[in-house]
Amino acid sequence: MSDPDSEADAELKELVAAGEDEGKRLDQWLAANLAPVLSRSRVQALIRAGAITADGAILTEPKAKVVSGRRYLLTLPEAAPPEPEGEAIALDILHEDSEVIVINKPAGLVVHPGAGNWTGTLVNALIHHCGDTLSGIGGVKRPGIVHRLDRETSGVMVVAKSDRAHRALAEAFADHGRNGDLERAYVALVWGAPKRLSSTIDAPLGRDTRDRTQRAVVPAGRPDAKQAVTHYTVLSRYGARKDDPIASLVECRLETGRTHQIRVHMAHIGHPLIGDPAYGRAYRTKANRLPQPLGGLVSAFPRQALHARLLAFRHSATGEIMRFEAPLPPDMAELVAQFDVL
């Protein structure tokens, strides 16, 4: 049984020595049994680090002799993530000065390195573009990052280039703009249309018990419940029947900034985002009832139709409120245009 105090991500390898293994060098025997995953030099380093036990006793000598019938347990620590390096990835820069850089992030671009995405991220692009001028408060994997957008969400993001900007922006995002220093607006293309043209969704979010990578509306008293408030306004309704629209374009303004907040909230009121692979799966077949070429566009749309249209914040050096907008990206603009002619 593993040590309850060990790292959850450590990997355990158990081997039991056979009769013919009696008297072999420990490092040679382990390397032979673990090749090609581990080299002999790596095995020796792990032994010296105390990562191997025999019937509960720690062994630190690579030349120790293997004993037949003994149970050897090797603890492989989680591999340290690589430090991100700069990559020549094109950036759509809306503004840049010594304090901040504001970009229009395309859909498909991961913000910072993580499991399965150690390269090709916004951070890699920023390191290449900005060099060592990014704020280091976020650590080597998240230099300058004070907020993020989901991989498949496009739109305006601000990144801190100075520690002063990082602290000011982090405070503004933590306060969710209640003091007037921050404004965020998103546009989403959703199935159907809310009956009220403008309203507020106040529903706490927590982890989905069926899939811990997703979020769900949960009871306020649950331990992981976090307050989540989204204000929405219907901008356009699409479809011949105005009393039963096929889809609508909605602006969402965040009072809080929870993971997947807009996606979960809109699905919660019965209007999931078009193309949303996590929270709108049950609505995918609706595309089959749409006229062409719209039906084909919706069926092939590879992401949630969500765009961060507006971001405003107070500049850390000048005190000026800076406001940036990004138009709908071509894929969403094409969908809206096709819905608009229904």
Side-chain angles (χ1 to χ4, degrees):
M1 182 178 294
S2 62
D3 181 351
D5 294 326
S6 65
E7 292 186 11
D9 293 320
E11 182 181 358
L12 301 178
K13 296 281 188 183
E14 181 181 342
L15 299 94
V16 178
E20 62 268 22
D21 299 321
E22 179 77 29
K24 291 181 179 178
R25 275 182 57 131
L26 179 62
D27 58 346
Q28 293 176 338
W29 177 69
L30 287 173
N33 280 276
L34 297 172
V37 177
L38 296 177
S39 67
R40 184 177 171 186
S41 61
R42 175 62 172 151
V43 167
Q44 289 174 340
L46 288 169
I47 294 172
R48 293 190 180 100
I52 182 76
T53 63
D55 293 336
I58 298 175
L59 303 179
T60 58
E61 179 50 63
K63 293 187 294 184
K65 300 303 182 182
V66 173
V67 178
S68 173
R70 294 189 80 180
R71 174 178 174 266
Y72 295 84
L73 193 64
L74 176 64
T75 302
L76 294 174
E78 182 186 16
E83 186 170 327
E85 297 181 353
E87 296 179 48
I89 300 170
L91 291 173
D92 182 1
I93 299 173
L94 304 179
H95 172 82
E96 183 176 10
D97 58 36
S98 61
E99 295 284 305
V100 296
I101 179 170
V102 182
I103 65 144
N104 179 17
K105 187 188 88 68
L109 182 64
V110 176
V111 170
H112 51 71
N117 295 290
W118 295 117
T119 61
T121 71
L122 174 61
V123 163
N124 296 111
L126 289 167
I127 291 173
H128 178 270
H129 177 81
C130 301
D132 59 0
T133 64
L134 293 171
S135 167
I137 293 177
V140 294
K141 287 200 297 181
R142 304 186 185 191
I145 301 300
V146 293
H147 71 123
R148 69 179 183 88
L149 297 176
D150 291 342
R151 176 178 188 157
E152 299 300 342
T153 298
S154 56
V156 187
M157 278 190 65
V158 61
V159 176
K161 292 180 64 177
S162 74
D163 289 351
R164 172 172 60 181
H166 198 128
R167 286 188 291 268
L169 288 167
E171 288 175 5
F173 278 98
D175 184 63
H176 306 300
R178 293 186 182 93
N179 64 1
D181 285 355
L182 183 73
E183 183 182 2
R184 288 177 290 174
Y186 296 71
V187 285
L189 192 59
V190 305
W191 288 110
K195 287 184 169 52
R196 300 178 64 179
L197 291 178
S198 183
S199 188
T200 296
I201 306 169
D202 186 348
L205 301 183
R207 289 193 180 276
D208 190 328
T209 56
R210 298 164 298 180
D211 185 343
R212 291 182 60 80
T213 66
Q214 296 181 16
R215 299 297 186 271
V217 170
V218 300
R222 214 172 82 170
D224 66 329
K226 294 183 179 180
Q227 182 190 26
V229 180
T230 303
H231 307 283
Y232 73 81
T233 300
V234 178
L235 302 177
S236 300
R237 293 179 172 180
Y238 307 115
R241 292 181 54 187
K242 297 304 179 184
D243 61 330
D244 186 21
I246 295 174
S248 57
L249 189 66
V250 178
E251 179 184 85
C252 296
R253 290 180 176 257
L254 299 179
E255 186 173 316
T256 59
R258 308 303 180 194
T259 299
H260 299 175
Q261 178 173 317
I262 292 172
R263 298 165 62 188
V264 178
H265 270 175
M266 295 310 296
H268 176 65
I269 64 170
H271 303 288
L273 274 60
I274 288 174
D276 194 325
Y279 307 105
R281 287 191 298 267
Y283 284 70
R284 295 290 287 184
T285 56
K286 280 182 170 287
N288 299 330
R289 299 194 291 272
L290 296 173
Q292 296 301 328
L294 176 58
L297 284 174
V298 172
S299 294
F301 201 72
R303 66 181 185 96
Q304 64 269 6
L306 181 63
H307 176 68
R309 179 184 65 82
L310 166 70
L311 177 64
F313 58 90
R314 188 176 300 279
H315 195 274
S316 52
T318 68
E320 174 190 1
I321 293 293
M322 306 187 73
R323 189 181 183 92
F324 300 95
E325 296 190 48
L328 285 179
D331 60 349
M332 274 187 69
E334 185 177 15
L335 271 185
V336 169
Q338 289 295 326
F339 271 111
D340 205 28
V341 298
L342 285 178

